Amino acid sequence: MIPASPPLGRRTLLAGALGGTVLIGAGCGAGGAAGGAVEITLSGPNQWNSDGASFGTPWEELIARFQADEPDIAVKTVVLPLKDFAQTLATQLSAGTAPELVFNQASHEPHMVHPLTEALGQPNPYVSGNKAWLDLFDPKYFAAELPNVVSPISGEFEFVPFNLVSVGVYYNTEAFEKAGVSAPIKTFAELLEACEKLTAAGYTPFAMDNSNIGVGWSIKTIANMMLDKYFDKINVYDTFGKPGKAKYLAAKSFARAVLTGELSAQGTPEVAESIMLLKQFFDAGATKNWTGVAASSGSVVNLRDFQSGKAAMAWGVPFGYGALGEIKDKVASMPFPTITAESSKLSTGAAARFGVSTGGTSYMIPSTLDDAHRAAAIKFLQWMSVGEKIQPWLDATGGIPALKDATVPDGISGMIEGEWSEPMRIGGLPGGPAGVSELSMYDGFLLGTKSLDQELDQLQDLWVKGFQEKIKKNGWDNEDWAKS
């Protein structure tokens, strides 16, 4: 049974206690919306800067523009800490206390969120002549047949993307010039050579911190290249979990491959090779004592060192461009280099990929709202789906639009061009069960406290436990391979 929705005041007070709060509204005070306006709260992590209370001036200006169009809706923004936003929102969704708009990367059951499929099939009132809200989106990025767009359980659209995500390497052009490094760096061997030159020139080659993303994006990219040869063999389910083929490996196919032993940490040599390449990269380029460096941004890894000019390269996402401040004029971007036979005899020759997808800033609506607050939340999502209304925000933050009528900002072209912009076919290595971070899966080996054999044993154990959770959650228990 879904818990009854608590009064609005209780929901917003609970959300406000968990992070910074910004209230922007026509005639609104700290006590709530004035003049009978409906107040909605948007709650999620700060992907643009290190401010604990604001998503930044461009976001506040965007909210002001929305409220100029919709004076009867007041919008409150709650900034949640990066390290625990997902758990906070998951707890609220489960308890029925979530605010009106929640960041979509929170664990939930389908009944906890309001399905948006029906609304997406109806006209968007902010676009003259529009027949279906969904038509405003580029189907290359937001369509039912794509991975991770609709719920694999309900088949419903559950969220609307405000921007897309790609991942790439920001680099300091001044540092590269001083060290004699040419950009873009095309191969892994060239990357290691560049790290040597940058170190000799007094730079930290690659900014790293103790967040999950530096380790996670590195191993994901490396392993996707190394495991590409297995794609056709283990690709046995379509996007919706039915027997067939998917363009990109479905989670159900990956689960089957691991639980049947077709892929294993100890028995698939490319897994061990991926782990060793990861360590080679970290040993050559990562910030010294990186595990002791607290994350300062969710959009650029170790933003402080990169922004200060101490580090020459950093993993980042396009909407991290706005967080670079004065250094923006000497920053460019590129893909992570491709692993060739020069670096590994097991190289498949597959080019590095990460993909442009809806994993950026996306929000969903809890199922526990009353009609007025649900309608207001949908209106906000519809307004955020109009290119001319959000283009200033995209330009200021480096966001890649999911919409047909919006443009990609300057300065992030290296993250969205060529094969790097295509989604990963394999998707890297599996994760572990709930509560196990990517950092904890690899840091022991990277720091030298675990041998390679110990690392592989740990990974296999975590993969099996993680997929066993997915089997139960997704109702795959009736599959023969899932019963062993």
Side-chain angles (χ1 to χ4, degrees), residues 2-362:
I2 300 174
S5 176
L8 177 63
R10 179 182 163 204
R11 289 203 308 274
T12 53
L13 285 173
L14 175 61
L18 292 168
T21 303
V22 176
L23 178 62
I24 305 174
C28 297
V38 175
E39 181 180 280
I40 59 174
T41 296
L42 178 144
S43 185
N46 191 342
Q47 302 165 284
W48 301 276
N49 56 63
S50 56
D51 192 336
S54 171
F55 289 167
T57 300
W59 175 260
E60 293 175 15
E61 291 173 345
L62 178 145
I63 297 298
R65 292 196 302 275
F66 169 74
Q67 290 178 162
D69 287 347
E70 292 290 346
D72 291 332
I73 302 175
V75 180
K76 177 185 289 186
T77 300
V78 172
V79 183
L80 296 178
L82 281 168
K83 66 178 181 179
D84 53 19
F85 78 86
Q87 184 58 55
T88 296
L89 295 176
T91 299
Q92 292 177 343
L93 284 166
S94 180
T97 59
E100 287 77 11
L101 291 160
V102 298
F103 196 73
N104 79 310
Q105 294 177 27
S107 178
H108 62 279
E109 300 294 334
H111 69 81
M112 298 176 187
V113 298
H114 178 69
L116 294 170
T117 306
E118 182 178 352
L120 284 164
Q122 297 173 353
N124 184 318
Y126 298 104
V127 179
S128 177
N130 173 249
K131 295 182 179 180
W133 177 10
L134 186 61
D135 291 344
L136 301 177
F137 295 91
D138 188 333
K140 182 179 179 182
Y141 304 119
F142 193 59
E145 63 270 18
L146 297 174
N148 304 316
V149 169
V150 300
S151 167
I153 302 174
S154 66
E156 299 273 8
F157 286 92
E158 294 183 338
F159 65 86
V160 167
F162 296 172
N163 57 32
L164 301 172
V165 69
S166 181
V167 169
V169 178
Y170 284 119
Y171 65 92
N172 185 315
T173 56
E174 185 178 279
F176 270 39
E177 183 177 353
K178 288 182 178 179
V181 175
S182 298
I185 299 171
K186 295 183 178 180
T187 70
F188 191 78
E190 291 173 359
L191 174 63
L192 298 183
E193 182 182 347
C195 288
E196 289 184 8
K197 291 181 178 179
L198 289 162
T199 299
Y203 294 98
T204 295
F206 221 103
M208 287 291 173
D209 57 29
N210 63 8
S211 65
N212 285 311
I213 56 180
V215 171
W217 290 345
S218 300
I219 188 59
K220 185 184 292 288
T221 304
I222 291 170
N224 184 69
M225 287 185 273
M226 298 303 294
L227 293 173
D228 188 75
K229 62 186 287 187
Y230 296 100
F231 177 77
D232 290 332
K233 178 182 179 183
I234 65 177
N235 181 22
V236 296
Y237 292 107
D238 66 18
T239 304
F240 299 99
K242 303 296 183 182
K245 299 290 183 180
K247 189 173 182 181
Y248 310 107
L249 193 69
K252 189 174 181 181
S253 289
F254 218 156
R256 179 185 178 279
V258 169
L259 294 184
T260 60
E262 285 187 89
L263 282 181
S264 71
Q266 303 102 326
T268 304
E270 289 80 6
V271 174
E273 188 79 346
S274 297
I275 303 300
M276 290 188 288
L277 288 166
L278 176 69
K279 181 168 173 55
Q280 195 174 1
F281 165 52
F282 266 69
D283 288 348
T287 304
K288 299 298 182 185
N289 302 315
W290 55 275
T291 54
V293 179
S296 53
S297 166
S299 57
V300 180
V301 176
N302 194 351
L303 174 62
R304 293 189 189 95
D305 278 3
F306 186 68
Q307 192 177 46
S308 69
K310 181 179 179 181
M313 292 179 279
W315 277 113
V317 293
F319 43 88
Y321 192 70
L324 298 178
E326 295 180 359
I327 200 177
K328 283 172 66 174
D329 292 340
K330 54 183 178 181
V331 169
S333 59
M334 63 184 179
F336 190 83
T338 293
I339 297 168
T340 64
E342 184 178 1
S343 297
S344 172
K345 292 186 294 185
L346 296 178
S347 168
T348 62
R353 288 184 172 196
F354 208 97
V356 179
S357 69
T358 55
T361 308
S362 302

